[in-house]
Each structure stands twice: as C-alpha cells, then as structure tokens.
Amino acid sequence: MKLQNAFPNLHGRHVVCFTRYEAVGPSSRLRFHQFQRPLEQAGCRVSFYPLLSERYLERFYGGKKKDKFDIAFSYVRRLAQLATLRADLVWVEKELFPFLPGMFERMLRSRAVPYVVDFDDAIFHNYDLRKKGFVRSLLESKLDPLLSGCAMVTAGNSYLADYAQSHGAPSVAIIPTVVDTRRYPARPPIDRGRIRVGWIGTRTNERYLAPVIRALTRLSESLPLTLVTVGASRLSGLAVPQEQHEWTEDTEGELVASFDIGVMPLADTPWERGKCGYKLIQYMAAARPVIASSVGVNSEIVTPDVGRLVHGEADWERAIHELGTSRELMTRLGANGRRRVEEYYSLDAAAPQLLNLFDKVLAAPVWHG
C-alpha cells in the first residue's frame, strides 16, 4: 500500500522542522532528517529550519570557543522564521530557543499551527539541575509553555516521556532513535586473531570509556584485545592497542561491523537516564553483541539474548571475558540483536508509527494551541 493512501491526512501537507542542527548533527539527522523520505512518500512537503550552523558544530567538536555573534544571528533568524511561518504541521527538536525564558517558547502557540515536540535528550536538566540558583529559578519551567501548547510529544524513551507528560504535554508517544538497517552490513564477525571491543561516539563523551579501559587493562594479559574507537581521540592509559577512526556518515556502518563486541558505558545520573541508547542499536544492527551499563533505556534495549548489562567495574571484566572467549556466543547474540533491531529499532518499523501520529494530529478538526 502506498504511504499516501495509508495516511490520507498527510497528503499535500507542508511539514516544517525546527531542528537544533543541520543534518550533520546526530540528533537532527537521526530524529528528523532520516524521516524526510517517508514523509515525502506520504505526500508531504518537508522543510528544515536548523537553529545552529554546521560551523557551530565544527567549533564545538573541535573544542573551540563558541562564536557568540554566530549564535545571536541564529536566534534572530529563528525569530524571523517564526514570524513568517507557513506550515500545516510544525515539528520542533527539543526547544525553540535554548537558555531563553519560556515566553520565547510560547511564540509558536500564536501561529495557530499544530506542532509536535521531540525529545531525545534530557535537555530540561540544563535548567532544573543548574548549579546557579538564578538560572535555575528563571529557566527550570521554561519548557512548560511549549509542552502545554503542543499537539503531542515524541520522546525517545520513557524517562523523557514522563517529564513531558508531567509538564503539560496533552499526548506523548515513545519513538525510539532508530537506524536504517540497510546501512549496516549484518555478517558474522571475522576472527582476526584479536578480540575487537568497539565504541562509537564523540570526543565530548569518550570520558564514559574509563571503566571499559580499566577492564581491558585487567584482561590484557589473558586475552588478545584491541579497543576500536570511532570518533574518539587518542586515549591515554591503555594497556591494549587502540585502533582509532574518525567518524563519517558514509563509513560508520562498515566500521561498526568491524567490531566483535560493542560497548556503551554510562554514568548513572539524571542526564544519562535520558539518553536513547543509539550506540547499542547501531551495534545490534551490525549483528554485534553488546555490553552496556544498566542505566536508563539501556536496560530495555539489552536483553540476555543480545548482550550483557553491567552494574559495576567487575561486571565489565566478566562480560568482556565471557563474550570474548566464545565466537559462537558472539555470533548468536549478534544475530539476535539484528532481528531485535529490525523489529523494534529500525527506520522501517518507526516510520509508519510516526506517520500515523502525524496523520492523527492533522485529522483534528480545530487547532487551538
């Protein structure tokens, strides 16, 4: 069945996406841009209005200071876009104006257009857990006007969904962060003579690797281990070889498929409980077994038939040893993970769910905001 026939209220509609970044930004690419094609197949016209430029991200990931003039221009541009907005449906990534009061988030309500807010991170903890009291008192409720005026919220996990619901969102649906499985080759791991423990991320979150590095150090005398990183810097304190790769969208699928085991260590804090487990979904899409900290949504993604959940340092060592000493176990868990992704965490599974939600929003006879 053609998507435009399955979702008749989407046909001929204009969907405007107020994203945080351009497509190079991971959250914007995964939560918004990869749904462009399904939306267009359903008959929509899709426009993207990113807040921050690619140059901003390049400076951020390069550890350079923020360009305040560039950010100010971005905010002015977004104000102008809101003032001239023409759309049938608006989809907002996280918030409209980071670190501005709630009165700015309220602006979208005056446009008399139904809008959906998407959360894939606990960005509200930038405000309600702020150490500076005056910032916290000014901004801890800044998202409430945006949430109470929306048609619905799409959230990447239950932690984010619970926040949205408790802060006024009239309707909340959980849409996990998903992968296009066509970009991840699913083949059995190749025995290269060393156990390739892999991690993908950025330099800003490589700090989470500390317990994995300590576990690899303790295991290095008994197992031939290599730490394969995609997006990390050259790490210090390693007792095993590091195979370091820069991240690119074109190569990430093949690089993840070169792992034997995929790891996702996390600290157990409110911010991490809002993460959506995307690394795990990437590893599983490539048919690789996973080991993850038992934090937040990780505990839902990782079942015993796809990998191992860990609760402390000793668990990391045990889990890496268990999987690393059995090729049969790695292959079996990896195959199970691929099937789990195809069923629950793939673009093919999530797109119809999202389109159905948008179709229902647009079917509402009157929008009051």
Side-chain angles (χ1 to χ4, degrees), residues 152-174:
M152 73 176 311
V153 168
T154 50
N157 60 51
S158 58
Y159 185 82
L160 305 175
D162 289 346
Y163 177 90
Q165 194 163 38
S166 65
H167 285 258
S171 178
V172 181
I174 295 178

Side-chain angles (χ1 to χ4, degrees), residues 107-306:
M107 292 180 64
L108 190 52
R109 299 174 68 163
S110 67
R111 303 307 301 164
V113 176
Y115 66 91
V116 176
V117 179
D118 184 73
F119 280 160
D120 76 323
D121 254 328
I123 56 115
F124 39 85
H125 290 325
N126 283 329
Y127 311 121
D128 60 13
L129 296 182
R130 203 75 178 179
K131 290 183 178 179
K132 293 182 178 179
F134 77 94
V135 175
R136 190 169 62 250
S137 62
L138 179 65
L139 299 179
E140 64 180 349
S141 299
K142 70 152 286 180
L143 297 173
D144 291 7
L146 184 70
L147 295 175
S148 62
C150 73
M152 73 176 311
V153 168
T154 50
N157 60 51
S158 58
Y159 185 82
L160 305 175
D162 289 346
Y163 177 90
Q165 194 163 38
S166 65
H167 285 258
S171 178
V172 181
I174 295 178
I175 301 289
T177 302
V178 298
V179 297
D180 183 347
T181 53
R182 288 170 286 269
R183 298 185 59 249
Y184 290 81
R187 51 180 178 255
I190 301 170
D191 189 348
R192 297 177 173 87
R194 301 189 67 83
I195 303 158
R196 297 167 60 82
V197 178
W199 179 89
I200 186 170
T202 67
R203 286 166 172 79
T204 60
N205 57 26
E206 64 187 34
R207 65 186 185 279
Y208 294 126
L209 278 168
V212 174
I213 291 173
R214 289 192 288 269
L216 294 177
T217 298
R218 291 190 292 270
L219 290 166
S220 61
E221 294 184 5
S222 58
L223 291 177
L225 296 160
T226 296
L227 178 62
V228 185
T229 61
V230 181
S233 62
R234 178 60 59 179
L235 301 172
S236 60
L238 277 173
V240 301
Q242 178 188 3
E243 183 181 308
Q244 181 189 16
H245 300 273
E246 293 299 319
W247 177 87
T248 71
E249 186 176 5
D250 291 337
T251 61
E252 66 174 349
E254 284 290 343
L255 287 172
V256 169
S258 77
F259 302 168
D260 291 321
I261 302 166
V263 296
M264 185 176 176
L266 282 179
D268 190 3
T269 75
W271 181 265
E272 279 73 27
R273 290 170 205 150
K275 291 190 173 295
C276 293
Y278 183 65
K279 291 177 179 60
L280 297 174
I281 295 165
Q282 289 181 285
Y283 306 150
M284 291 160 60
R288 295 299 176 261
V290 297
I291 307 173
S293 299
S294 183
V295 175
V297 79
N298 286 7
S299 302
E300 300 173 22
I301 296 172
V302 181
T303 56
D305 62 338
V306 305

Side-chain angles (χ1 to χ4, degrees), residues 50-158:
L51 175 64
L52 300 169
S53 66
E54 188 170 334
R55 178 173 175 269
Y56 171 91
L57 275 181
E58 289 172 354
R59 294 180 65 85
F60 177 75
Y61 288 131
K64 298 178 181 178
K65 292 181 65 175
K66 296 177 181 177
D67 185 333
K68 295 181 180 179
F69 292 103
D70 185 44
I71 294 172
F73 174 79
S74 298
Y75 278 49
V76 171
R77 181 180 57 198
R78 175 153 287 187
L79 284 168
Q81 290 166 344
L82 284 168
T84 58
L85 179 65
R86 297 290 184 272
D88 297 298
L89 177 67
V90 171
W91 195 11
V92 179
E93 181 180 357
K94 300 180 177 72
E95 58 192 323
L96 289 169
F97 297 99
F99 289 95
L100 291 187
M103 59 180 290
F104 289 91
E105 302 298 331
R106 192 185 299 272
M107 292 180 64
L108 190 52
R109 299 174 68 163
S110 67
R111 303 307 301 164
V113 176
Y115 66 91
V116 176
V117 179
D118 184 73
F119 280 160
D120 76 323
D121 254 328
I123 56 115
F124 39 85
H125 290 325
N126 283 329
Y127 311 121
D128 60 13
L129 296 182
R130 203 75 178 179
K131 290 183 178 179
K132 293 182 178 179
F134 77 94
V135 175
R136 190 169 62 250
S137 62
L138 179 65
L139 299 179
E140 64 180 349
S141 299
K142 70 152 286 180
L143 297 173
D144 291 7
L146 184 70
L147 295 175
S148 62
C150 73
M152 73 176 311
V153 168
T154 50
N157 60 51
S158 58

